[in-house]
Amino acid sequence: MDKDSVRRRKESQNGSTAHKEHTNHKETVKATVLHKDVGLLSGISLIVGTMIGSGIFISPKSVLLYSGAVGPCLLIWAACGVLATMGALCYAELGTMITKSGAEYSYLMEAFGPLVAYLYSWTTVMVLKPSSFAIITLSFAEYASASFYPGCTPPPLVVKCLAAAAILVITTINCLSVKLASYVQNFFTGAKLLIIVVIVGAGIVLLAQGNTETLSNSFDGASPSFGAIGLAFYNGLWAYDGWNQLNFITEELKNPFRNLPLAIIIGIPLVSLCYVLVNVSYFTVMTTTELLQSQAVAVTFGDRVLYPVSWIIPLFVVFSTFGAANGSCFTAGRLAYVAAREGHMVKIISYISMKRYTPAPALIFNGIMGIFYIIPADINTLINYFSFAQWAFYGLAALSLIVMRFTRKDLHRPVKVPIVIPILMVLISVYLVMAPIIDKPELEYLYCTIFIFGGLLLYYPFVYLKVKWARKLMRPITIYLQLLMEAVPPEKIE
């Protein structure tokens, strides 16, 4: 009844919901599905724009702290770029082999079945994606409010309220239009590349002038432990996180067989080069002690090098973090949408706005969860929590590629990487998951594991058994939310 009523309403407006052209009115009527509106430029912007966010402006301190010296710090930044590229190459094969949105969710479903895919979607939709959204918007809020509180730290309440406002604005943009969200992403990606060029250019000038004291004897005093290196990689890889973002929207990508691998090949090496050069620039101005004591590394750099126009640094950092948050929201909505479409989330999340052709219910759900995670947020704790669980799933995704080389030989593979790359990704993922736990066991890792497998308590009755009373309970709620958001189930287009 809920489907029919909304369908009749749409038919009265459009005449039909089929994907065809009216010969009398010469008017194309779109099907109620997510359309292929993302081209190569927008794909590159999504990767670059999501990777370059708050990480390069926050993580340098943590990477330096855990690595122990400038030399190991720069090596870890470069190694993180290589690791991100290796992971992205695996995802290029997976994404062109399985052209469904949802990234890891779709690959785990194909290789290991619905249970593993459900545990991924449960963990990622409920914790990883919204906590990532919260971390980035908190970084945005810290930089945006810093100029109003010179000489002191902005009050936490102000930062959290501003972060919540950013989440509301970004969620609204993504609900309104896919093209609008893509334009916003392209603009802010351009802005962040501009400020990267400014920082790197200033660093090159300073190097030419002989400011190399911090970079000299860069390996002196470095003796990081096994676990400390793992934590340094955690924080470096947090800055690189986003290399898999395009795989979340494969169904909306124009010519994915060409544009997916091409965007990866262009975007990730570009980001890697930027990150290493930006860190070198930081060290031309600050000693290791000064960098560790800085509240905002990029702002300190600007104050010393770009005065009296140093205000452009915090302004463009605000642009950068806003753009990264927009990219995170864009992809998070698609994962929730695909999981709900497969029956692993409540039905309403799989619906599409009948006017805007966006997964509005999924986007709104992610926004609400992001605001929830802002309330108790501590950025460093969230980063460690996020990385621990995320790399476990990255490893499983790489393992799925190896498994499907043997179990799904029939699948067409436009891109095929050497088998040694996914094997290395699996081994590195195991290290990144286990090293910090062995070196310094903390309860947050146990909580994360309990939460992941706690999803089974919901899976068995509601997904596997599909108990009738739950469906009866959700039916009126689904109808109400469907009418409120003017959303309908996606149509099946052959």
Side-chain angles (χ1 to χ4, degrees):
M1 182 177 178
D2 54 321
K3 295 183 184 179
D4 295 337
S5 61
V6 178
R7 185 174 289 114
R8 282 196 300 269
R9 182 176 175 184
K10 188 178 181 187
E11 287 174 356
S12 67
Q13 295 174 347
N14 293 336
S16 174
T17 55
H19 189 61
K20 62 183 180 180
E21 185 174 315
H22 283 287
T23 54
N24 294 335
H25 299 88
K26 295 182 179 180
E27 178 185 349
T28 301
V29 178
K30 291 183 177 181
T32 317
V33 293
L34 300 182
H35 297 276
K36 292 183 179 293
D37 291 328
V38 181
L40 177 61
L41 177 61
S42 294
I44 295 171
S45 294
L46 183 64
I47 293 175
V48 174
T50 310
M51 289 176 73
I52 303 177
S54 59
I56 189 59
F57 309 110
I58 293 176
S59 294
K61 291 198 295 183
S62 299
V63 176
L64 178 61
L65 176 66
Y66 291 118
S67 60
V70 173
C73 176
L74 293 176
L75 286 177
I76 286 172
W77 277 105
C80 287
V82 173
L83 185 57
T85 304
M86 288 170 55
L89 289 173
C90 294
Y91 276 58
E93 177 174 335
L94 288 165
T96 52
M97 179 173 63
I98 301 168
T99 55
K100 292 181 180 179
S101 294
E104 292 93 345
Y105 177 83
S106 297
Y107 313 144
L108 295 177
M109 175 76 82
E110 194 73 29
F112 304 119
L115 180 58
V116 177
Y118 167 81
L119 290 177
Y120 168 77
S121 65
W122 157 255
T123 307
T124 308
V125 172
M126 299 302 293
V127 178
L128 301 186
K129 281 294 186 181
S131 68
S132 173
F133 199 12
I135 292 168
I136 300 169
T137 52
L138 283 167
S139 301
F140 159 81
E142 286 179 357
Y143 275 93
S145 58
S147 58
F148 296 98
Y149 297 90
C152 63
T153 304
L157 182 61
V158 171
V159 172
K160 290 180 180 182
C161 288
L162 190 55
I167 287 177
L168 291 174
V169 170
I170 291 167
T171 302
T172 302
I173 289 170
N174 280 268
C175 287
L176 287 176
S177 168
V178 172
K179 288 186 177 180
L180 176 61
S182 296
Y183 292 150
V184 168
Q185 191 68 28
N186 294 348
F187 173 80
F188 284 106
T189 298
K192 67 185 68 183
L193 287 176
L194 177 61
I195 198 60
I196 291 286
V197 169
V198 170
I199 293 173
V200 170
I204 291 172
V205 171
L206 290 168
L207 280 174
Q209 293 173 349
N211 292 279
T212 59
E213 293 180 12
T214 306
L215 295 168
S216 303
N217 303 316
S218 56
F219 287 88
D220 289 352
S223 56
S225 67
F226 180 80
I229 292 174
L231 288 171
F233 268 99
Y234 266 1
N235 286 276
L237 289 167
W238 162 247
Y240 278 97
D241 196 68
W243 48 266
N244 63 330
Q245 294 300 292
L246 204 55
N247 292 69
F248 283 99
I249 63 162
T250 309
E251 293 173 25
E252 296 171 76
L253 189 63
K254 298 174 183 176
N255 192 3
F257 301 114
R258 171 184 176 271
N259 290 338
L260 178 63
L262 195 56
I264 287 169
I265 291 168
I266 295 171
I268 296 173
L270 174 63
V271 173
S272 303
L273 179 65
C274 289
Y275 278 4
V276 174
L277 293 178
V278 165
N279 276 276
V280 170
S281 297
Y282 289 157
F283 288 123
T284 62
V285 172
M286 289 171 272
T287 65
T288 54
T289 303
E290 289 172 336
L291 192 144
L292 290 171
Q293 291 176 345
S294 172
Q295 293 296 317
V297 178
V299 174
T300 302
F301 179 90
D303 289 340
R304 296 189 180 186
V305 177
L306 301 176
Y307 186 81
V309 292
S310 56
W311 53 268
I312 68 170
I313 294 286
L315 175 64
F316 276 85
V317 172
V318 168
F319 288 168
S320 178
T321 48
F322 189 89
N326 181 71
S328 176
C329 177
F330 191 93
T331 57
R334 273 60 185 179
L335 172 60
Y337 161 78
V338 172
R341 189 176 64 184
E342 297 294 334
H344 288 169
M345 294 285 157
V346 292
K347 192 176 182 181
I348 185 64
I349 295 179
S350 70
Y351 286 11
I352 295 173
S353 170
M354 55 187 274
K355 292 182 178 179
R356 306 289 182 178
Y357 305 101
T358 60
L363 292 164
I364 292 168
F365 177 77
N366 181 65
I368 292 170
M369 292 297 293
I371 292 174
F372 174 78
Y373 279 102
I374 282 174
I375 298 169
D378 173 76
I379 288 181
N380 288 326
T381 302
L382 278 174
I383 288 174
N384 291 338
Y385 183 75
F386 174 83
S387 300
F388 164 75
Q390 188 64 75
W391 274 95
F393 290 118
Y394 286 158
L396 281 173
L399 182 61
S400 74
L401 178 57
I402 299 170
V403 168
M404 285 189 285
R405 285 285 180 92
F406 300 97
T407 61
R408 297 303 306 273
K409 293 181 180 180
D410 57 309
L411 290 175
H412 176 56
R413 292 172 169 83
V415 176
K416 191 172 184 179
V417 299
I419 194 70
V420 67
I421 292 180
I423 291 173
L424 283 172
M425 280 297 297
V426 172
L427 295 175
I428 291 167
S429 299
V430 171
Y431 167 73
L432 289 171
V433 170
M434 298 304 298
I437 299 175
I438 295 170
D439 185 67
K440 188 181 178 182
E442 292 184 4
L443 284 175
E444 64 186 13
Y445 303 123
L446 177 62
Y447 294 152
C448 181
T449 305
I450 291 172
F451 182 87
I452 292 172
F453 289 100
L456 294 173
L457 298 175
L458 296 176
Y459 177 83
Y460 185 71
F462 300 119
V463 178
Y464 185 74
L465 294 180
K466 298 180 180 178
V467 292
K468 292 182 179 180
W469 64 263
R471 302 179 78 177
K472 289 180 179 178
L473 177 66
M474 285 303 301
R475 182 176 174 81
I477 298 174
T478 300
I479 293 173
Y480 175 77
L481 292 174
Q482 182 181 2
L483 293 172
L484 179 66
M485 293 184 282
E486 295 186 315
V488 293
E491 293 182 29
K492 293 182 179 180
I493 304 297
E494 299 298 333

